[in-house]
Amino acid sequence: MANLITIERHILEQQKNFPNATGELSQLLSDVAFAAKLVRREVIRAGLVDILGTTGATNIQGEQVKKLDEFANERFIQGIGHHGRFCVMASEENEGIIETPGDTVGKYVLLFDPLDGSSNIDANVSVGSIFSIFKRKSKLGRGTLQDCLQRGMEQVAAGYVIYGSSVMLVYTTGQGVHGFTLDPTVGEFLLSHPYITVPKRGQLYSINEGYYRYFYDGIKKYIKYLQQEDKATGRPYSGRYIGSLVADFHRNLLYGGIFIYPRSRKNPDGKLRLMYEANPVAFICEQAGGRATDGYKRILELEPEGLHQRTPLFIGSDEDVRIAEEFEQGLRQLEHDKELIPKMEAEVEKIPSY
Ligand code: P6P
């Protein structure tokens, strides 16, 4: 039993390395863990109670709001906001910033996607919550939009919860990546994956190949590259795509490989949101020794312009992401493959360079 380390204890131990730490950050992460437990309680019984299906409303993204989306959003806002440790919050489900309920105003900023992958909920596919924490920039009073619109490299903490075969919370405060598994018998997240590191290269790739015809030339060639046979580089890779970022990212974090949601003719800026999807997973990925870019620039260096701005996302094993970038940027061509190239070249439509 001695090594049963709860998330609260782990965070406090991590903070011993920061002499001026106030313990507030550990409280924030405990608040997030608590909200996740409330969400998990509904996720695991969603099929039993009238919480599946849609509310009939559409959110800022123009997507149908699932009842569980709305429930999860409320849990995060109520379960965390009232502790007074945040000065402002922002959610995938809300168009503007969210004033923290209650009178006390803290020094932190929370951005979150309360239930990512919600289109999969009714099919019992793993979904997740993603969060990103900054320190406020403004000095006093309630937080502002500018407090939210900080570059990813300014994050003080980030993490996600995956509601899958087991419920895991994975977080970083810049001192490595640590995974906790919920023990439902005691209702605690217990340390199960200390210092997660992503393999330098993997053999899995995650991309929605249903959009192949909309992809630009570089990504089409990269997919063909991964499908070529080359034992030295472990090719062909296996395709794995769940359509739930947290589930796809979590698998690649542990096993290695690459997840790509690229720019395309269908999604010129990609689909994923910078502030509460790409930034947090990019912070985690880099802390685990991986790489996260938009195909050209580090995600954590991108200058935010709006709460809900989209970005292409190339994330996972360092070597895999770098090779994908070379194809995306037109710097790399397919080695000649007598069967594949002629067929592929016939397929690839000539398009103006990006
Ligand atoms: P597509 C889920 O809706 C989500 O936002 C991410 O979790 C996921 O990676 C992506 O969209 C899937 O999008 O277009 O492949 O269905």
Side-chain angles (χ1 to χ4, degrees):
M1 290 293 278
N3 64 351
L4 289 185
I5 299 176
T6 64
I7 191 166
E8 289 78 4
R9 188 177 138 204
H10 188 265
I11 297 160
L12 286 171
E13 284 177 4
Q14 288 257 315
Q15 292 220 321
K16 281 179 189 154
N17 305 334
F18 294 97
N20 57 350
T22 61
E24 270 186 301
L25 191 54
S26 58
Q27 272 306 315
L28 299 192
L29 289 161
S30 302
D31 294 346
V32 173
F34 178 65
K37 290 176 197 170
L38 297 178
V39 173
R40 174 246 175 201
R41 191 177 58 182
E42 296 308 312
V43 167
I44 61 172
R45 62 191 195 122
L48 301 174
V49 296
D50 178 25
I51 198 164
L52 282 177
T54 65
T55 61
T58 53
N59 64 12
I60 165 73
Q61 328 294 344
E63 295 161 346
Q64 283 198 328
V65 178
K66 297 277 185 176
K67 291 178 183 172
L68 212 44
D69 271 334
E70 204 163 81
F71 174 86
N73 200 36
E74 284 160 17
R75 288 296 71 71
F76 270 83
I77 294 171
Q78 296 307 326
I80 297 177
H82 75 278
H83 285 177
R85 292 187 250 278
F86 291 101
C87 64
V88 65
M89 297 189 281
S91 164
E92 193 233 17
E93 294 294 329
N94 296 64
E95 183 168 358
I97 58 174
I98 303 165
E99 291 211 349
T100 48
D103 300 331
T104 46
V105 175
K107 63 182 180 185
Y108 291 97
V109 178
L110 173 70
L111 296 104
F112 60 95
D113 183 351
L115 207 61
D116 174 72
S118 54
S119 55
N120 290 302
I121 290 173
D122 298 8
N124 200 21
V125 171
S126 295
V127 292
S129 304
I130 313 173
F131 62 91
S132 169
I133 298 176
F134 292 95
K135 273 204 178 144
R136 71 182 298 169
K137 291 289 189 193
S138 58
K139 294 292 175 243
L140 295 169
R142 292 200 176 280
T144 64
L145 177 61
Q146 286 316 311
D147 282 315
C148 297
L149 297 181
Q150 298 182 52
R151 288 186 303 169
M153 62 174 55
E154 303 292 334
Q155 292 174 98
V156 293
Y160 59 83
V161 181
I162 179 167
Y163 308 100
S165 48
S166 67
V167 179
M168 273 193 72
L169 188 152
V170 176
Y171 89 99
T172 185
T173 57
Q175 298 178 73
V177 177
H178 309 285
F180 296 77
T181 301
L182 182 66
D183 178 341
T185 62
V186 294
E188 288 287 356
F189 280 103
L190 302 177
L191 183 64
S192 54
H193 297 69
Y195 292 102
I196 297 173
T197 53
V198 56
K200 280 296 170 204
R201 185 160 185 165
Q203 292 187 286
L204 299 174
Y205 74 103
S206 312
I207 189 168
N208 188 337
E209 293 190 62
Y211 301 149
Y212 185 82
R213 60 173 294 103
Y214 303 119
F215 291 155
Y216 291 111
D217 198 12
I219 290 298
K220 287 185 173 181
K221 288 182 178 175
Y222 179 58
I223 291 170
K224 296 305 173 192
Y225 164 81
L226 294 177
Q227 293 169 350
Q228 289 177 326
E229 186 172 53
D230 175 51
K231 291 200 177 5
T233 52
R235 288 180 288 151
Y237 279 21
S238 295
R240 291 284 185 279
Y241 194 75
I242 299 170
S244 185
L245 173 64
V246 171
D248 281 316
F249 173 70
H250 183 70
R251 180 202 51 244
N252 291 4
L253 182 72
L254 297 181
Y255 296 165
I258 185 169
F259 172 94
I260 301 180
Y261 207 109
R263 62 186 178 90
S264 71
R265 294 192 203 83
K266 178 179 172 65
N267 294 294
D269 298 318
K271 172 186 179 184
L272 300 175
R273 307 295 179 171
L274 172 62
M275 297 312 295
Y276 40 79
E277 289 176 333
N279 267 340
V281 293
F283 186 18
I284 289 168
C285 191
E286 288 196 0
Q287 280 289 309
R291 183 174 173 82
T293 70
D294 63 1
Y296 299 82
K297 197 174 174 187
R298 265 179 87 208
I299 291 293
L300 298 185
E301 290 176 5
L302 297 180
E303 200 62 55
E305 286 149 23
L307 282 180
H308 305 290
Q309 80 183 63
R310 300 176 190 272
T311 176
L313 181 63
F314 291 56
I315 190 167
S317 296
D318 183 76
E319 289 177 23
D320 288 309
V321 174
R322 289 178 187 278
I323 292 169
E325 288 166 9
E326 289 174 4
F327 278 98
E328 166 69 8
Q329 296 170 26
L331 304 175
R332 185 170 178 144
Q333 296 306 320
L334 282 167
E335 299 93 46
H336 193 73
D337 176 321
K338 59 186 181 315
E339 287 129 38
L340 188 63
I341 296 296
K343 195 165 54 167
M344 200 279 293
E345 277 167 349
E347 237 178 80
V348 170
E349 298 155 45
K350 293 291 168 236
I351 51 160
S353 63
Y354 182 57

